[in-house]
Amino acid sequence: MGHGKALLSSASQTSGLLFSRREVLTQAACGAALATAAPYLRPMEYLLAGDVAAERIRQSFDFQWKFMKGDAANAHLQDFVDGGWRDVNLPHDWSIEGPMDEDAASSGPGGYMPTGIGWYRKRFHVPAAYRDRIVTLQLDGVYQNSEVWINGHSLGLRPYGYVPFFYELTGRLNFGGENVVAVRVDNSRQTNCRWYSGSGIYRHTWLQVTHPLRVAQWGTFVFCPRVSKDAAAVEIRTRIANGGRGAAQCTLMTAILDRDGKTVQSTVNVQNVEANDSFEFVQQMTLEKPSLWSPVSPYLYTVRNTVRESGRVVDVYDTPIGIRDAVFDADRGFQLNGEHIKLNGVCIHHEAGCMGAAVPERVWERRLETLREMGCNAIRTSHNPFATEFLDLCDRMGFLVMAEAFDEWKVPKEQIRYGYSLYFDEWHERDLTNFLHRDRNHPSIILWSAGNEIGDQSAPDGAQTLRGLLNIFHREDPTRPVTAACDRIASDPLSNRVRPEFLAELDIVGYNYVDRWHERAELYYSIDHAAFPMRRVIGTESVGMGGIRGDYSSLLASAERAPRHMMLLQQNLNIDVEQLWKFVGSRDYVAGDFMWTGIDYLGEAFWPMKSSLCGAIDTCGFKKDSFYFYQSQWAAKPMLHLFPHWNWQGKEGQVIPVTCYTNCDTVELFLNGKSFGVKGYEFPRIGMEGTYGNFPARAKTLRTTADLHLSWDVPYEPGELKAVAVKNGSVVSTAAVATTGSPVAIALSADRMILAADRRDVSHLVVQVLDEQGRMVPLAENEIAFAVEGEGRLIGVDNGNPFSHEGYKGAHRQAFNGMCLAIVQATARAGAVRITASSPNLRSASLLLNTMEA
């Protein structure tokens, strides 16, 4: 039994948690004005001056870097001449800049993108007044094998590219003078990741200045041993570090603030902390009538640590938190705050189409908004730790998260030559500890995953390796259960099957593709539920419908791109997805399921493809038909979706399968006013109630299929398909698909018209190619050129086509099935941004955005 077994009962509980433990704090008044202007105007960044005695400064270190792709001798030295290098801001991913190449070393796992070695350098100034303070550099993610220098002195190496890490700079700084940070990134040993990783300093960087007596890095851990609607017991563990020359008497006041900043509870403790030592305060409070965090109401409090020495405030540290009670049970599945919730989950990767691995926060926010519209309430961060701002969004938006640590332990994967197995023995404890310390306060995280499809699950010493990892998980966070995504629970041959002692160690058993082997294709989890009734189970990964947005060539067996076996494969896939959801959706003991995948991703491809097609959303964030299947099962609001398109010129008289997804009772289909009949389905089906023969109203609806979709065979003729949906006796939705004319114009829309002038905020510009009547032409492939003027810059273009080899960082993109995307980022100055989209023989379109001072 692992260490955590004593901490987690058979109803595994994850206590009330929080949001990112952010070292956010005040900057001086002069700093507020300089925060954007000074770095933008000067070749050397100046660390903001504030109250030297009291203020914790956490300043973005993202701007004004120099970059060179390739290796360079002596580039770590302070006086190295880098004037010919590129100017870049972070986050930065050089792989996504391309070009794609069938012979690229990254090959299919890396999306055929370039990798190699790169260097980054940055000059900055630290005021002389900070000589007696602690200065720290934090890097949220560098892929991979990084080495960092300050003024020519090596600070250390970090192989793993997905975890945050930090270095203290204090002893090597030139206070009052120029300093140079240099970072070498080596992603040349390929292949090393599943899937696309990106290359470079692809996440944020921060420079932090603190008093010697301060809250340690990621030093506050907050959890709730008991939670109810009436009261919550809150425990705050705060590690105070003393980097001073002598012992210090530390007074720690900890307060809980509501969302309006009002203090609702507080406590104070005093403790001597020796020089160059640390002490962990344990403080307990009770919060009456707490506002509980949930997907419906993601309420966030703030825990504020105020550190005093000799009566003077020397540090203030904020930790946003959420209070909730999360329980996994062998019979009842997952419960949050005492209510049963089915985890309607998706797996996603850390990159985002044309942004690669360097993803602006708004890009993630838009994607999460779309997934929420689909009815998704849970995310699996496959297969590595994600950026903290992604988890911050999940906290604010109310998503439930399974946070995954590794894709490889000691046993290497076949597709990967230079994976994490090379570093596991030396680095796993440090990497895992950083991951847990940074993320254990997020209320969105309800479950840790120690690994995905780990080869060690079948190894003789696999259970021992898992036990060691569980000891770290439960030592650093005794509040959450741990799973692993196992893909060999019933696999052949027997010698490759997961070992029983491995599964016995897990707090919750994760099943990847539960229906893949033998009779489980029909019986799913029921076999193991009968054999191991106390086992808590979750679908860590299951097949999704996927597909290519707007591509219906598989509907016609004679189509060149889709032979009949492909048509049958897609049909079988759809049946598999529907049948599995019927089982999961009707068995409480299955906590939920994470579909592969919510969004298409780069990698796991075979040339000429460079990306997957597993998602319900493509790499642009555009919805596929499969999006609407999940919406029909996961969302309560009446919906109706009809497909395919109705542009089948030359196929007159040929039968076209027409499908709709809906959560309504019945749907009637018309073609040019002629009815093709009323159809309906019911899930879950409802039997009699009260007396024999008495069926409730919902059970009396027309049932024409046991499937979770409705379909008609319709001989093609040009015109309009129209579907009319009825629920509870009333028409609640209609959908129509019409035969369009030829492309004549461009429509351009933006998800946001006003941006913050902070060099980070973005707007998504969506192009649709229209006919003369303003309808999107579903097969249009016109090349679109983008021009951006004013206080914005074009940072990426995409169309969602997994076969396209066009560059992501150019100024033009071919429309794919009528659509493409451009992403524009604000500069540091307030003003107007004009975006124009044009194409030969099409009417162009323009939009005017505005950027405002942040």
Side-chain angles (χ1 to χ4, degrees):
M1 299 282 282
H3 171 72
K5 300 297 179 177
L7 300 170
L8 299 161
S9 65
S10 62
S12 290
Q13 183 165 341
T14 71
S15 300
L17 276 159
L18 19 113
F19 174 85
S20 73
R21 180 185 13 216
R22 245 188 242 151
E23 303 110 284
V24 175
L25 273 83
T26 59
Q27 293 183 339
C30 64
L34 290 172
T36 57
Y40 187 77
L41 297 173
R42 292 200 276 258
M44 181 168 65
E45 188 156 8
Y46 285 74
L47 183 62
L48 303 177
D51 181 348
V52 176
E55 188 180 16
R56 170 185 287 251
I57 295 174
R58 186 174 190 254
Q59 180 176 326
S60 171
F61 208 57
D62 286 347
F63 304 108
Q64 294 186 295
W65 287 78
K66 291 286 190 177
F67 169 73
M68 186 199 76
K69 186 180 176 184
D71 212 350
N74 300 319
H76 65 289
L77 297 179
Q78 187 171 7
D79 58 359
F80 181 86
V81 178
D82 56 19
W85 291 16
R86 278 176 55 193
D87 293 323
V88 298
N89 292 331
L90 307 181
H92 174 245
D93 171 11
W94 81 68
S95 289
I96 200 64
E97 297 170 358
M100 302 167 208
D101 185 347
E102 183 179 5
D103 297 322
S106 65
S107 65
Y112 302 96
M113 292 293 192
T115 49
I117 296 172
W119 277 89
Y120 296 83
R121 287 170 54 88
K122 178 182 172 73
R123 290 175 166 80
F124 65 105
H125 180 279
V126 179
Y130 291 149
R131 191 178 305 276
D132 294 325
R133 305 198 77 197
I134 304 297
V135 182
T136 304
L137 173 63
Q138 177 181 322
L139 300 100
D140 286 351
V142 183
Y143 202 89
Q144 66 166 340
N145 282 308
S146 66
E147 185 169 5
V148 180
W149 290 264
I150 180 69
N151 298 330
H153 301 279
S154 178
L155 297 171
L157 302 105
R158 200 81 187 199
Y160 195 33
Y162 290 107
V163 291
F165 56 99
F166 61 94
Y167 298 113
E168 185 178 327
L169 310 182
T170 312
R172 300 292 187 181
L173 288 174
N174 297 320
F175 289 96
E178 181 182 271
N179 297 274
V180 177
V181 165
V183 183
R184 183 180 186 269
V185 184
D186 186 352
N187 194 20
S188 61
R189 300 178 76 191
Q190 295 291 322
T191 53
N192 60 47
C193 183
R194 300 191 322 161
W195 303 105
Y196 176 86
S197 64
S199 301
I201 309 177
Y202 70 100
R203 290 181 183 166
H204 292 301
T205 55
W206 307 91
L207 200 65
Q208 182 169 275
V209 181
T210 60
H211 188 277
L213 187 68
R214 79 277 185 195
V215 178
Q217 181 80 18
W218 305 312
T220 300
F221 177 33
V222 187
F223 61 96
C224 298
R226 295 176 302 281
V227 177
S228 72
K229 294 178 181 179
D230 295 323
V234 184
E235 183 167 313
I236 303 103
R237 300 179 182 178
T238 306
R239 183 160 296 279
I240 300 297
N242 181 10
R245 297 183 181 91
Q249 185 180 71
C250 174
T251 300
L252 177 65
M253 184 181 77
T254 299
I256 300 175
L257 284 58
D258 66 15
R259 62 167 46 157
D260 298 319
K262 178 183 176 183
T263 298
V264 293
Q265 190 59 275
S266 65
T267 189
V268 178
N269 293 91
V270 180
Q271 175 69 39
N272 281 336
V273 183
E274 296 298 322
N276 298 312
D277 200 356
S278 66
F279 178 82
E280 185 177 77
F281 285 79
V282 178
Q283 298 170 306
Q284 296 168 335
M285 289 180 266
T286 299
L287 197 61
E288 303 293 338
K289 301 292 183 183
S291 296
L292 300 183
W293 185 95
S294 72
V296 175
S297 179
Y299 190 97
L300 295 171
Y301 292 91
T302 299
V303 168
R304 175 162 294 170
N305 299 125
T306 301
V307 180
R308 288 182 171 86
E309 183 186 18
S310 301
R312 184 185 63 187
V313 173
V314 296
D315 194 16
V316 181
Y317 184 88
D318 277 359
T319 303
I321 68 164
I323 295 173
R324 85 290 186 277
D325 182 52
V327 175
F328 287 87
D329 185 84
D331 293 318
R332 295 173 294 169
F334 177 68
Q335 292 185 311
L336 187 70
N337 302 327
E339 297 182 8
H340 179 266
I341 292 180
K342 185 68 70 175
L343 298 176
N344 298 330
V346 300
C347 303
I348 59 176
H349 274 281
H350 78 289
E351 51 77 30
C354 62
M355 295 293 94
V359 187
E361 184 173 340
R362 172 57 194 162
V363 173
W364 277 125
E365 184 178 40
R366 173 177 176 260
R367 289 173 170 228
L368 289 173
E369 288 169 349
T370 304
L371 290 173
R372 184 169 59 186
E373 181 186 349
M374 188 173 77
C376 170
N377 64 12
I379 304 290
R380 175 184 174 218
T381 58
S382 48
H383 300 296
N384 312 98
F386 273 37
T388 189
E389 59 268 22
F390 175 86
L391 296 171
D392 291 347
L393 283 169
C394 291
D395 292 336
R396 296 196 297 267
M397 298 175 72
F399 281 92
L400 302 161
V401 175
M402 180 200 305
E404 197 150 70
F406 304 115
D407 191 42
E408 202 171 79
W409 299 345
K410 293 185 177 184
V411 178
K413 284 183 160 67
E414 290 184 5
Q415 309 104 312
I416 305 303
R417 297 178 62 193
Y418 302 105
Y420 191 70
S421 61
L422 297 175
Y423 314 109
F424 180 87
D425 285 339
E426 180 181 357
W427 283 96
H428 75 272
E429 183 163 7
R430 280 174 284 180
D431 289 337
L432 186 55
T433 300
N434 277 17
F435 167 52
L436 295 170
H437 282 187
R438 186 197 66 175
D439 292 344
R440 60 187 175 179
N441 287 317
H442 288 279
S444 56
I445 297 177
I446 56 170
L447 179 64
W448 301 115
S449 170
N452 170 66
E453 298 180 353
I454 297 296
D456 307 66
Q457 64 186 299
S458 306
D461 61 349
Q464 180 180 346
T465 302
L466 172 60
R467 194 176 304 120
L469 289 167
L470 289 174
N471 287 340
I472 300 169
F473 274 105
H474 294 144
R475 179 190 73 204
E476 304 301 334
D477 176 15
T479 71
R480 292 179 180 86
V482 183
T483 188
C486 302
D487 63 335
R488 303 179 186 177
I489 290 178
S491 65
D492 287 336
L494 287 175
S495 60
N496 197 45
R497 193 168 291 185
V498 64
R499 290 176 172 260
E501 63 269 24
F502 186 94
L503 296 180
E505 290 290 337
L506 292 169
D507 301 320
I508 297 172
V509 175
Y511 289 72
N512 276 21
Y513 305 98
V514 65
D515 57 345
R516 182 173 280 175
W517 291 94
H518 305 290
E519 66 275 19
R520 292 169 189 251
E522 190 72 38
L523 299 178
Y524 306 108
Y525 300 92
S526 63
I527 297 171
D528 287 351
H529 186 59
F532 308 99
M534 296 303 294
R535 177 181 289 181
R536 295 173 296 279
V537 301
I538 190 168
T540 40
E541 187 173 313
S542 298
V543 68
M545 284 189 179
I548 300 175
R549 176 184 54 81
D551 182 2
Y552 301 106
S553 56
S554 64
L555 295 180
L556 301 177
S558 60
E560 292 182 6
R561 289 180 60 187
R564 182 163 180 80
H565 76 274
M566 290 297 294
M567 175 181 173
L568 294 174
L569 178 64
Q570 185 64 48
Q571 289 175 343
N572 290 343
L573 182 65
N574 293 351
I575 291 171
D576 290 344
V577 170
E578 291 189 8
Q579 292 299 106
L580 176 60
W581 169 244
K582 281 186 175 184
F583 188 98
V584 171
S586 59
R587 270 76 171 181
D588 284 351
Y589 70 84
V590 183
D593 192 37
F594 290 85
M595 173 266 292
W596 189 265
T597 56
I599 309 171
D600 284 350
Y601 54 95
L602 297 172
E604 196 172 17
F606 297 91
W607 192 267
M609 293 178 66
K610 88 297 189 165
S611 62
S612 81
L613 45 80
C614 301
I617 301 167
D618 71 11
T619 55
C620 296
F622 298 156
K623 302 167 187 174
K624 304 182 189 179
D625 294 319
S626 53
F627 167 96
Y628 297 98
F629 165 74
Y630 293 102
Q631 187 182 54
S632 74
Q633 302 305 308
W634 292 350
K637 183 179 178 180
M639 59 77 60
L640 174 66
H641 176 68
L642 183 66
F643 64 98
H645 64 70
W646 208 239
N647 282 31
W648 299 94
Q649 289 82 348
K651 304 295 182 184
E652 286 77 7
Q654 188 165 343
V655 171
I656 306 293
V658 175
T659 301
C660 82
Y661 295 130
T662 186
N663 55 12
C664 300
D665 297 339
T666 62
V667 177
E668 186 171 9
L669 182 72
F670 299 87
L671 173 59
N672 296 329
K674 176 186 175 182
S675 175
F676 275 73
V678 178
K679 296 193 176 185
Y681 76 92
E682 183 182 13
F683 175 75
R685 290 177 293 169
I686 300 174
M688 294 180 288
E689 293 181 356
T691 60
Y692 185 85
N694 179 51
F695 287 87
R698 179 69 181 89
K700 296 178 182 178
T701 57
L702 176 67
R703 282 185 261 167
T704 60
T705 180
D707 295 330
L708 300 180
H709 67 275
L710 304 175
S711 62
W712 297 259
D713 289 335
V714 182
Y716 176 68
E717 63 178 60
E720 182 185 67
L721 281 173
K722 183 177 180 180
V724 178
V726 172
K727 192 175 184 71
N728 298 328
S730 300
V731 174
V732 293
S733 185
T734 62
V737 179
T739 307
T740 71
S742 300
V744 299
I746 296 171
L748 187 63
S749 61
D751 65 329
R752 302 169 81 209
M753 302 299 291
I754 299 176
L755 304 179
D758 61 1
R759 290 174 289 176
R760 290 193 175 99
D761 206 4
V762 300
S763 183
H764 297 77
L765 287 301
V766 175
V767 164
Q768 291 186 307
V769 179
L770 307 181
D771 70 0
E772 197 62 63
Q773 296 184 45
R775 302 171 296 191
M776 190 186 80
V777 181
L779 300 176
E781 296 183 342
N782 307 71
E783 184 171 283
I784 309 297
F786 296 96
V788 179
E789 304 169 90
E791 298 304 327
R793 63 189 188 100
L794 183 65
I795 62 170
V797 292
D798 196 0
N799 61 11
N801 182 358
F803 293 93
S804 173
H805 300 148
E806 299 170 273
Y808 284 120
K809 301 301 180 181
H812 57 86
R813 194 72 171 188
Q814 187 176 23
F816 176 62
N817 292 332
M819 302 177 72
C820 63
L821 174 76
I823 298 180
V824 171
Q825 189 170 59
T827 68
R829 289 187 287 255
V833 186
R834 180 172 292 279
I835 302 99
T836 302
S838 61
S839 182
N841 304 316
L842 299 183
R843 293 194 294 271
S844 62
S846 293
L847 277 179
L848 189 66
L849 311 183
N850 285 286
T851 66
M852 309 289 287
E853 289 188 5

